[in-house]
Amino acid sequence: AQRAFSGYLHGVSDGVITEPFRAYVEACLHSEEGLGVHRPFLELGSYANQVERYLSHFPRKQIGVWIYEETKGRQQEFIREIFEFLGVDETFKPNLSKRYLEPHIPRMIKSQHALQQTGIWKLLKRTVPVRLKPLVRNIAYRPMGSTVLGPEDNALLHDFYRDDIRRFEKLLERD
């Protein structure tokens, strides 16, 4: 559920998605398009399918799988585990203080989308004086972390992924 919501936030941030989350998910659930804005959005969260494809080509010991919720509170240990799995220097400590690819969610999604489509947004980004950019950012974008997945949407996605989650747990030998 969180992967889908994160993907949605990045789509909104990039100006690709303009509809509310629930409406977007419903459109994805009913979409019959091939590759497009609605596909493979939900399919990307079907981890069992993805891991099964890898297992069909590589030995299990060559595939590392970590669960985000189990790693997010222990970044240094997680990085050490990855380095150990890869057989590289596990004592190396990368700088984890800077976050990359954080989505910036517009306060007015459709208005900003229109400004992006017409090129006005790019023009504004180039012409606003540097000292005013933080103020403009605060006006144009919602505070980081303020857009959250609601319980109803979380439940909808858990229902969608239920069978895949069970298969994924079996692949990882968890229950």
Side-chain angles (χ1 to χ4, degrees):
Q2 285 297 329
R3 199 252 14 112
F5 189 64
S6 175
Y8 167 79
L9 293 179
H10 282 281
V12 170
S13 180
D14 294 342
V16 176
I17 301 170
T18 59
E19 54 209 308
F21 183 69
R22 172 57 72 108
Y24 184 72
V25 169
E26 293 287 348
C28 291
L29 289 170
H30 299 101
S31 173
E32 294 185 18
E33 69 184 331
L35 188 60
V37 74
H38 294 107
R39 289 220 167 175
F41 178 75
L42 291 173
E43 291 82 354
L44 291 173
S46 296
Y47 298 130
N49 291 336
Q50 296 176 43
V51 171
E52 284 170 344
R53 280 196 299 272
Y54 278 99
L55 287 171
S56 71
H57 297 284
F58 301 99
R60 186 177 202 84
K61 69 179 184 175
Q62 290 184 343
I63 299 172
V65 177
W66 287 267
I67 309 297
Y68 172 74
E69 290 79 8
E70 296 172 2
T71 62
K72 67 180 180 180
R74 51 183 198 88
Q75 292 179 326
Q76 287 292 350
E77 184 182 345
F78 171 49
I79 293 294
R80 186 196 54 72
E81 289 172 9
I82 291 173
F83 290 167
E84 181 182 355
F85 176 78
L86 295 173
V88 298
D89 180 8
E90 60 199 69
T91 63
F92 176 71
K93 303 252 190 268
N95 179 359
L96 301 175
S97 63
K98 182 156 175 48
R99 305 235 351 156
Y100 296 90
L101 300 175
E102 291 276 321
H104 299 283
I105 308 304
R107 291 184 188 270
M108 298 174 287
I109 294 171
K110 291 194 181 211
S111 299
Q112 186 161 331
H113 179 71
L115 292 173
Q116 287 173 330
Q117 293 298 325
T118 59
I120 295 171
W121 188 251
K122 193 180 273 188
L123 177 67
L124 287 172
K125 287 175 84 172
R126 283 196 317 259
T127 57
V128 170
V130 173
R131 62 183 169 76
L132 291 179
K133 286 190 179 199
L135 175 65
V136 172
R137 244 184 253 117
N138 286 340
I139 292 169
Y141 296 105
R142 298 175 189 183
M144 291 300 241
S146 66
T147 307
V148 297
L149 180 63
E152 302 86 16
D153 295 331
N154 191 34
L156 173 70
L157 290 170
H158 274 281
D159 284 345
F160 176 78
Y161 290 119
R162 185 174 321 283
D163 292 337
D164 184 77
I165 291 169
R166 287 187 181 124
R167 285 181 35 238
F168 187 55
E169 288 171 339
K170 285 181 182 174
L171 283 171
L172 298 181
E173 298 173 354
R174 296 179 175 205
D175 47 0

